[in-house]
Amino acid sequence: MSELGVNTRLLRKILVGFIREEVRKVGLDRAVLGLSGGIDSALVASLAAEALGPENVHALIMPYRSSNPESEAHARLLAGELGIDFKVIDITSMVDAYFEIFPDADNMRRGNKMARERMTILYDHSALYNALVLGTSNKTELLLGYGTLYGDMASALNPIGDMYKSQVWQLSEEMEVPRVIIDKKPSADLWVGQTDEQEVDDLLFHMVDLRYSRQELVHHGFAPEFIDLIYARVKNSHFKRRLPIIAKVSQRTIDRDFRYSRDWGR
């Protein structure tokens, strides 16, 4: 087993318990999430169905007109196998109506708008179903800043946010996610010029979890230019991984000195 190998049976138990406890301790029984047809959302949906029961998990499939039809097909397949409720909500008209005002918007702005449009729909349905929104961003994506702030990175709970992508693959095997989802290649290039996910995860693990210095990373066998590229991405995306910064002007500041529900007897 490599350093990133996990005890999938134990991890499954921990994450199922995490979802069940975090949802129920706020007095709820249900969860809602977006299904993209990819492995991350498929794994989260599988964990949620086991934790809460498939009847308490609601999935939204939200294609845009340029989305790959295969993604919707795989999302439908996963929902059907799990027995969870799902809806297909096409976001094309919503997004296009906005960009009629800004026809020169580039692909980054359009992609960010789509991600945030989907999240507003998820939170609307969280109110409809009286459910918590589950996040589907893994640790690799979060560290590299691969995600949209207040879009796909938003959620009430994220069961896989501390799992590297390679660990998501491992647990998905344990959870028996449909083979067609496990075997397909990622739809987006997560790192320019670097296609080996395992190598990226290995570097992030040594850089973040083990706190290796640059010199130690080079000695371990990582190329200096690769280290610098990934380090820059982690550093420059840090603002995405924290709540809005509140200016401290009182004795107890929200999310700094006043954080925990246990302060109020929970």
Side-chain angles (χ1 to χ4, degrees):
M1 180 180 290
S2 72
E3 289 176 290
L4 282 171
V6 293
N7 181 331
T8 53
R9 189 169 299 178
L10 176 60
L11 185 57
R12 177 179 188 169
K13 182 177 180 180
I14 290 171
L15 295 180
V16 166
F18 167 81
I19 295 172
R20 183 182 296 126
E21 178 182 354
E22 293 298 325
V23 169
R24 292 181 177 172
K25 80 179 184 181
V26 295
L28 302 179
D29 296 302
R30 288 173 286 206
V32 61
L33 76 158
L35 272 189
S36 67
I39 194 166
D40 296 309
S41 62
L43 176 58
V44 173
S46 300
L47 291 165
E50 186 168 314
L52 306 173
E55 69 280 4
N56 290 317
V57 180
H58 302 275
L60 301 182
I61 303 169
M62 296 170 282
Y64 181 70
R65 58 182 163 83
S66 60
S67 298
N68 188 338
E70 184 182 79
S71 297
E72 181 180 331
H74 290 167
R76 285 176 175 270
L77 171 66
L78 187 279
E81 290 206 2
L82 293 177
I84 62 177
D85 169 67
F86 74 93
K87 290 181 183 177
V88 179
I89 302 174
D90 193 307
I91 66 169
T92 301
S93 61
M94 310 170 202
V95 173
D96 286 355
Y98 178 77
F99 284 112
E100 284 180 6
I101 308 171
F102 305 104
D104 296 330
D106 60 20
N107 287 336
M108 183 186 74
R109 286 180 61 189
R110 291 176 185 274
N112 286 344
K113 175 64 174 173
M114 291 177 202
R116 292 181 177 125
E117 196 70 48
R118 291 183 175 108
M119 193 52 64
T120 64
I121 295 169
L122 281 172
Y123 271 94
D124 175 60
H125 279 73
S126 76
L128 172 65
Y129 295 129
N130 202 24
L132 289 186
V133 175
L134 299 183
T136 60
S137 296
N138 63 62
K139 189 171 185 176
T140 305
E141 294 170 339
L142 292 173
L143 285 172
L144 295 179
Y146 185 72
T148 300
L149 194 60
Y150 304 116
D152 52 310
M153 295 178 73
S155 64
L157 306 174
N158 185 342
I160 66 169
D162 202 26
M163 293 173 58
Y164 289 104
K165 185 72 174 190
S166 53
Q167 295 170 331
V168 168
W169 296 114
Q170 294 174 52
L171 188 56
S172 295
E173 296 273 3
E174 164 73 21
M175 298 294 296
E176 298 183 346
V177 167
R179 194 79 247 165
V180 67
I181 296 176
I182 291 177
D183 289 342
K184 73 177 179 179
K185 294 181 179 179
S187 59
D189 184 13
L190 191 55
W191 26 83
V192 177
Q194 192 69 37
T195 58
D196 188 343
E197 291 178 345
Q198 184 65 54
E199 186 178 2
V200 174
D201 281 357
D202 284 343
L203 174 57
L204 287 171
F205 174 72
H206 286 84
M207 181 184 292
V208 176
D209 293 64
L210 300 186
R211 300 187 180 188
Y212 274 31
S213 67
R214 187 179 186 279
Q215 182 179 358
E216 289 171 324
L217 291 170
V218 171
H219 182 73
H220 197 71
F222 295 107
E225 60 274 13
F226 180 39
I227 297 169
D228 294 341
L229 171 65
I230 298 302
Y231 178 83
R233 293 197 176 196
V234 173
K235 180 181 178 182
N236 293 337
S237 64
H238 183 64
F239 72 96
K240 292 186 175 184
R241 295 185 295 272
R242 61 184 302 173
L243 290 173
I245 303 170
I246 298 173
K248 183 172 178 61
V249 295
S250 72
Q251 190 170 357
R252 300 193 73 198
T253 306
I254 294 170
D255 199 45
R256 199 171 312 180
D257 312 295
F258 182 80
R259 300 186 181 194
Y260 306 110
S261 58
R262 68 169 177 260
D263 288 338
W264 296 93
R266 292 190 176 188

